[in-house]
Amino acid sequence: MRDFSRPGRSDAIGERGMVCTSHPAASAAGLEMLRSGGNAMDAAIAAVAVQCVVEPHMTGIGGDCFALLSWNGASPIALNGSGRAPQAATAAWYVERGLTAIPDQSAHAVTIPGAIAAWCTLNKDYGAKSLAEVLAPAIGLAEQGMRVTARVAWDWARQVDKLSRDPDARAVFLPGGKPPAFGDLFRNPALGRTLRAVAQDGAAAFYRGSVAEALTRKLRAHDGLHSINDFASEHSDYVQPVSTAYRGHTVYECPPAGQGLAALMILRLIERFALGHARHSEADRIHYLAEATKAAYRARDAYFCDPAFGHTPAASFLSDDWTQRASDLIQPDRATAPEAWGEIEHKDTVYVSVVDRDLNAVSLINSLFAPFGSGLYEPTTGVLLHNRGLGFRTDPAHPSAIAPGKRPMHTIIPGMLYRDGLPMMPFGVMGGHYQATGHAHFVSQILDHGRSVQEAADVPRSFAFDGKLSLETAISADVKRDLEGRGHTVEWSDFPIGGAQAVWIDRERGILIGASDQRKDGMALGF
């Protein structure tokens, strides 16, 4: 039970359904789907579509999507809804032009957006309602306008420079030359028209015809290598999840090219150190999590790749042998050498957690990668294009080297917790590279410390990244000094780290317990 004398949130409770998102309008749309007879998939797609309108810096139909779902109590199913590089994109093309990395605000960072293909696949295979029904709330908000919430306004104001670079983006996202403020009305009727077309004609409305042609023209005008055929060939794939045991439960993640495997590797490492034991201080727990993160991310950056183009040795990384060797290098009083990532940092993603009356569970995540993605906006379609291609390397020898039709290494990861062969919790933690660490931290807070889902989301966070250990300001100065004494380069984070949503299925009492991170504007709603 939380301390009611301190700021915080209570866990939400429901019996017949629960929707948890980072925006009130999205949670409300999802809940309405459940109330009107829809299932968890209907609610998840309705919610994430709304988020593409009301949180345009975080996500959009010009981005990618991943999902884990549990249907009728069966083992989870994973969907990879990420897009692929254009057929003309080869590592040699970039090497010949002296490009040692993919430019972050360029058409070269744009892979074919996979979100719409993913939504349409999931709706067809698992939805109870039509696309027109589940997309209606998002269409209404795009056309009639939405009021900008506090966290959205704060994030938006930090991206004026990026939004100013593309005249099309500037005209829409900086109305009157400035970002919308809290409470302002924002409309994107062009996005509403594209969503209407998808509602009527499905994925073909996005990947073939006028929308695909307009997006191709936009990308080609910015020196992109994209073609109409690249859009026409885009599709999602069902894939086998990866998993590991933790404290009598099973944690499932999507497989590489996503970083879910790294979350499992971190969990296996911190389990060795029994973080819930009373002998550990807060500094101890942060230290062990940081060291486990470094070990898992070293492997991630060296080996994780699109399985259609290379092999990621998942079984080896989840073996007792790897875990033992990695844990042997972790000392209780001394940090290992700082790691400097060769990756672009980002923090912008939305995550949706839903459970319906039949205990079907959906864990779904959708992202533009960086804030407002590539910053490239196509005005006739309302589509802001992501920059997920930053996960590629231009070194032809690297497992994630860019190649025709290849998917980049992805940071966005939905999670699912099982116990005794049944789903217990769809969960996710937004926050770019932090997500794998965030999954491990969130699960540990529940299973090691006995916290509720909302309490686990509210706990102060830390992240070892890019040679530094970042701490949220709710962590004490004494803990910071302790960690510095162990050799960590510690800094206070200038922004909240991540954002979590989750639904806990309490089968004994027949209730659903939901959480939505206080760091965002959202809420958990049940009925």
Side-chain angles (χ1 to χ4, degrees):
M1 184 68 69
R2 75 178 180 90
D3 184 346
F4 292 103
S5 66
R6 295 186 177 184
R9 291 181 173 181
S10 298
D11 295 83
I13 192 166
E15 292 179 313
R16 301 176 61 197
M18 178 70 68
V19 181
C20 306
T21 83
S22 55
H23 196 284
S27 296
L31 189 70
E32 181 56 33
M33 288 298 122
L34 295 180
R35 283 185 179 278
S36 61
N39 62 25
M41 189 58 70
D42 300 320
I45 297 172
V48 78
V50 165
Q51 286 180 291
C52 289
V53 177
V54 300
E55 295 186 89
H57 62 301
M58 302 289 284
T59 195
I61 64 173
D64 283 340
C65 176
F66 286 82
L68 278 171
L69 52 143
S70 172
W71 225 250
N72 299 320
S75 297
I77 300 165
L79 182 84
N80 183 340
S82 63
R84 299 164 174 85
Q87 286 297 318
T90 65
W93 190 93
Y94 294 93
V95 171
E96 289 168 4
R97 287 156 181 79
L99 295 172
T100 58
I102 305 295
D104 63 335
Q105 294 178 41
S106 74
H108 298 295
V110 182
T111 54
I112 302 303
I116 290 294
W119 300 359
C120 292
T121 297
L122 292 168
N123 171 260
K124 174 179 176 292
D125 294 342
Y126 293 96
K129 291 177 174 286
S130 68
L131 268 177
E133 291 176 283
V134 298
L135 295 182
I139 293 168
L141 285 166
E143 294 178 342
Q144 298 165 25
M146 62 90 175
R147 295 290 173 179
V148 177
T149 53
R151 177 62 195 269
V152 172
W154 186 79
D155 289 332
W156 207 319
R158 295 160 69 95
Q159 301 302 322
V160 171
D161 180 63
K162 173 183 275 192
L163 293 171
S164 299
R165 298 180 187 184
D166 177 16
D168 293 328
R170 182 170 63 245
V172 172
F173 295 106
L174 297 177
K178 60 183 180 180
F182 169 68
D184 284 353
L185 185 71
F186 176 76
R187 297 174 63 248
N188 191 346
L191 176 59
R193 289 193 297 272
T194 296
L195 286 170
R196 281 190 181 278
V198 172
Q200 177 176 319
D201 298 323
F206 188 88
Y207 297 102
R208 299 174 184 271
S210 61
V211 172
E213 290 167 0
L215 294 174
T216 300
R217 283 195 301 272
K218 177 72 177 185
L219 290 163
R220 299 288 292 193
H222 288 264
D223 300 321
L225 303 175
H226 308 71
S227 73
I228 290 292
N229 289 337
D230 293 323
F231 278 87
S233 61
E234 180 56 33
H235 62 277
S236 297
D237 300 297
Y238 288 107
V239 292
Q240 184 66 35
V242 289
S243 65
T244 194
Y246 190 82
R247 301 283 187 247
H249 296 69
T250 303
V251 185
Y252 288 93
E253 299 278 354
C254 292
Q259 66 168 338
L261 175 60
L264 304 181
M265 294 161 69
I266 295 170
L267 280 168
R268 290 177 60 82
L269 283 169
I270 64 174
E271 189 172 31
R272 297 286 180 107
F273 299 104
L275 298 193
H277 198 284
R279 71 175 181 271
H280 290 311
S281 66
E282 183 178 7
D284 290 336
R285 297 184 182 101
I286 292 173
H287 169 74
Y288 284 124
L289 181 62
E291 295 303 294
T293 294
K294 293 177 189 178
Y297 281 37
R298 279 192 291 267
R300 182 198 75 166
D301 292 341
Y303 293 99
F304 289 17
C305 66
D306 183 344
F309 288 78
H311 174 62
T312 301
S316 295
F317 286 135
L318 295 177
S319 69
D320 291 341
D321 178 63
W322 184 89
T323 305
Q324 184 65 57
R325 286 188 288 109
S327 63
D328 286 345
L329 299 175
I330 298 175
Q331 301 301 315
D333 57 353
R334 180 55 45 188
T336 54
E339 292 294 318
W341 273 259
E343 306 286 340
I344 298 294
E345 184 180 7
H346 90 287
K347 316 169 190 69
D348 294 82
T349 297
V350 297
Y351 170 77
V352 177
S353 184
V354 185
V355 176
D356 65 22
R357 59 180 59 80
D358 297 316
L359 302 187
N360 297 314
V362 176
S363 182
L364 185 145
I365 198 159
N366 214 92
S367 177
L368 288 174
F369 192 46
F372 290 102
S374 64
L376 298 176
Y377 175 79
E378 203 296 305
T380 67
T381 63
V383 176
L384 185 69
L385 293 157
H386 68 168
N387 59 347
R388 183 57 64 176
L390 293 180
F392 283 128
R393 307 293 183 92
T394 58
D395 176 4
H398 194 280
S400 277
I402 191 167
K406 189 175 184 178
R407 286 164 159 156
M409 198 283 288
H410 262 265
T411 56
I412 59 173
I413 50 173
M416 189 83 73
L417 185 72
Y418 268 56
R419 185 175 67 200
D420 299 329
L422 293 172
M424 295 301 299
M425 181 179 68
F427 71 97
V429 182
M430 303 167 284
H433 290 289
Y434 174 72
Q435 290 180 57
T437 302
H439 277 210
H441 179 257
F442 186 76
V443 169
S444 175
Q445 292 301 316
I446 294 171
L447 301 186
D448 288 324
H449 300 280
R451 292 189 167 99
S452 73
V453 283
Q454 187 62 56
E455 290 170 334
D458 292 345
V459 170
R461 294 178 179 141
S462 62
F463 185 33
F465 178 83
D466 199 21
K468 296 181 176 64
L469 178 55
S470 296
L471 307 179
E472 289 189 325
T473 54
I475 295 171
S476 74
D478 287 343
V479 169
K480 181 176 182 287
R481 283 190 290 271
D482 184 319
L483 293 164
E484 288 170 336
R486 304 184 198 209
H488 293 283
T489 300
V490 187
E491 64 178 12
W492 296 117
S493 178
D494 61 358
F495 52 84
I497 299 175
Q501 276 83 39
V503 180
W504 183 265
I505 302 172
D506 186 331
R507 295 177 182 276
E508 293 182 1
R509 294 188 291 169
I511 59 174
L512 304 171
I513 302 171
S516 182
D517 204 305
Q518 62 180 340
R519 297 166 180 83
K520 303 286 185 176
D521 294 319
M523 58 180 61
L525 293 176
F527 78 106

